[in-house]
Amino acid sequence: MYKVLLFGSGALGSVYAWRLQETGAAEITAVCRGNYETVVQNGFQITSSLFKNDVFRPSRVVRSVSEAAADGTEFDYILVCTKALPNRGDNSGLIAAAVTSQTTIVLIQNGIGIEDPFHARYPGVNVISAVAYIDVAQPEGGVIEHGGNCALVMGPVGEGQRAEKLAEVWENGGVSCSVLENVQAVRWLKLAWNASFNTVAVASGGNNTRIMVDDPECCRLIYNIMIEVYRLGEAATGAPLPVMRGIAGPKELLATAQAPGVVVMPSMLMDFLAKRPLEHEVILGNPIQIARELGVAVPHMETVYALLRMIEKQYLD
Ligand SMILES: NC(=O)C1=CN([C@@H]2O[C@H](COP(=O)(O)OP(=O)(O)OC[C@H]3O[C@@H](n4cnc5c(N)ncnc54)[C@H](OP(=O)(O)O)[C@@H]3O)[C@@H](O)[C@H]2O)C=CC1
Ligand SMILES: CC(C)(CO)C(=O)C(=O)O
C-alpha cells in the first residue's frame, strides 16, 4: 500500500488523489487549508463526467504537513498540487517535514521551471514532473466539478521506476498515464495553451475561450502567442516539439478551441474572478527569462505578461 501525501487539496489535487485511493493500492493523507472543516465533515463531493459521481474521503485529513508527519509516517509519494507562485514565496519548504530520502515528490502543476525550487532544496530526492490534462474546478470548498479529461504525462523515467509504479496505480484508477524521459517537451506543448488562453482570458478583462476565439483580433493574439511558445520551446529543448493527441502545431491547437460548442474557463480566469494570485511567473515570466537568455523574440508574451502583473497588482497589493 503506497502512502501518499496530498499537498494542495484543491480542484486538480483532489481528483488525482481520489483516483489513486479508489484502486485500494494507495492511502491518501490530504493537507487541507480553506476547505479543512468541510472535507473533514463531508469529504470531497465530486461530480465527474468521466468517472462516477462520488464522495471522496481521504484516509486522513490534516491541517499541515507537520501534522501529517508527526506520527512518523513515511510517505512514498508527495503530490504537490498547489498553484505555482514562486513570486509569492518559495513553497518547496512547506513539505519539508514529510520529505525523506525515500520520498518521491510529484509536481502536478502548469508552467515552466516549477521543478527548480524542489531540486535546489532537496538534492538527491526524486522529483517527478507531471503535466496534467484535466478540466476541474472547486466552485466552493470541497465541491469538485470534473469534466471528461483525466490524463498525466510524467517524467523523467526515474531511479527505482518510481514514476512507472505510480503511473500503474493511476492507470488502474482510470487516469491515462504515460512516463517519458523528455517530459519538458510536453511542458512546452501544454504551455502553448496556458500562455495564450489562460493569460489573455485575464488580460482581456475576463473572457472564456469561446468569446476569445470568436473575436478575430483576440484570436490572432492567441495564435501569435502559441507560435512564440512553439519557437521558444524548440529553442529551449533543442528539438521540434512532439505531436501529441494529433496536435502538430499552433493551428491544430487553436482549432481545438474553435470547434463548435467548446467553451473553456481557464484556471487563471477562475483565479482572476476570485481575486486570487495569478500563475504569471511560471506561465510567462520564466519562459520570457529563457527567451531573453536564448535571444528568442517573444513580444506578444512580454506584452501580456506586463499587463497581467499590473492587473494582479490592482487587486492584491
Ligand atoms: N484546474 C484545472 O483544470 C487545471 C489546473 N492545472 C494546474 O494545476 C495546479 C493546481 O491547480 P488547481 O487545482 O486548479 O488549484 P486550486 O486553487 O483549486 O487548488 C490549490 C490548492 O492548494 C491549496 N494550498 C495553497 N497553498 C497552500 C498552503 N500553503 N497550505 C495548504 N494548502 C495550500 C489551496 O488551499 P486554499 O483553498 O486554502 O487556498 C487549494 O486548495 C496549478 O498549477 C494549475 O495551473 C493544470 C491543468 C488543469
Ligand atoms: C484545463 C486547462 C487546459 C484549461 O485552460 C488548463 O490547463 C488550465 O485551466 O489551467
Side-chain angles (χ1 to χ4, degrees):
M1 175 78 75
Y2 291 119
K3 290 190 176 12
V4 178
L5 181 67
L6 172 62
F7 183 68
S9 303
L12 170 147
S14 60
V15 173
Y16 285 117
W18 170 48
R19 297 325 300 165
L20 286 178
Q21 192 169 287
E22 270 288 288
T23 63
E27 58 183 31
I28 304 293
T29 298
V31 179
C32 287
R33 195 169 60 174
N35 57 7
Y36 175 82
E37 299 292 349
T38 177
V39 173
V40 166
Q41 278 175 27
N42 310 316
F44 290 96
Q45 310 280 322
I46 303 183
T47 54
S48 170
S49 310
L50 183 63
F51 305 112
K52 65 183 187 327
N53 296 345
D54 200 6
V55 176
F56 165 46
R57 291 187 182 279
S59 301
R60 231 170 18 131
V61 180
V62 295
R63 282 190 190 276
S64 67
V65 175
S66 330
E67 187 184 337
D71 65 357
T73 303
E74 294 201 3
F75 293 98
D76 301 295
Y77 294 96
I78 301 178
L79 311 183
V80 176
C81 303
T82 51
K83 290 272 161 46
L85 302 164
N87 52 314
R88 306 200 71 81
D90 169 6
N91 74 359
S92 63
L94 297 178
I95 60 166
V99 177
T100 70
S101 58
Q102 294 313 304
T103 312
T104 296
I105 300 170
V106 184
L107 306 173
I108 317 181
Q109 296 171 312
N110 278 329
I112 297 294
I114 57 156
E115 304 87 359
D116 298 348
F118 291 86
H119 284 306
R121 187 178 294 270
Y122 306 111
V125 172
N126 204 296
V127 176
I128 294 174
S129 180
V131 182
Y133 290 87
I134 189 169
D135 47 316
V136 57
Q138 180 178 221
E140 56 182 286
V143 175
I144 306 295
E145 294 176 353
H146 173 230
N149 290 322
C150 198
L152 279 172
V153 180
M154 325 194 258
V157 175
E159 175 231 325
Q161 298 220 309
R162 295 186 198 187
E164 290 83 346
K165 286 177 185 162
L166 189 61
E168 194 183 321
V169 183
W170 258 318
E171 281 280 348
N172 291 338
V175 178
S176 163
C177 255
S178 36
V179 182
L180 300 180
E181 188 52 45
N182 186 10
V183 71
Q184 290 305 321
V186 181
R187 279 211 164 273
W188 285 99
L189 283 182
K190 180 79 196 297
L191 189 76
W193 174 286
N194 294 130
S196 54
F197 280 117
N198 289 33
T199 65
V200 177
V202 176
S204 65
N207 289 294
N208 65 38
T209 56
R210 182 84 266 155
I211 300 170
M212 292 190 281
V213 295
D214 283 351
D215 181 275
E217 287 304 319
C218 191
C219 191
R220 180 191 290 264
L221 170 61
I222 283 166
Y223 184 60
N224 282 329
I225 294 174
M226 287 178 176
I227 290 174
E228 288 177 2
V229 173
Y230 263 78
R231 280 197 195 125
L232 179 56
E234 294 184 350
T237 59
L241 294 187
V243 178
M244 251 190 79
R245 303 168 150 221
I247 296 168
K251 260 199 191 107
E252 289 88 347
L253 185 58
L254 184 62
T256 62
Q258 288 173 314
V262 173
V263 184
V264 180
M265 298 279 288
S267 57
M268 191 179 279
L269 175 58
M270 311 296 278
D271 288 333
F272 169 66
L273 295 174
K275 301 283 171 267
R276 291 189 293 250
L278 305 174
E279 291 182 297
H280 48 65
E281 291 310 309
V282 294
I283 288 181
L284 287 174
N286 288 349
I288 288 169
Q289 190 54 43
I290 292 170
R292 289 175 184 163
E293 283 161 17
L294 295 176
V296 177
V298 289
H300 298 89
M301 289 167 68
E302 285 175 327
T303 305
V304 175
Y305 176 54
L307 295 176
L308 279 189
R309 290 169 60 100
M310 302 316 285
I311 289 167
E312 186 193 56
K313 259 188 217 257
Q314 283 191 326
Y315 63 82
L316 277 191
D317 296 346

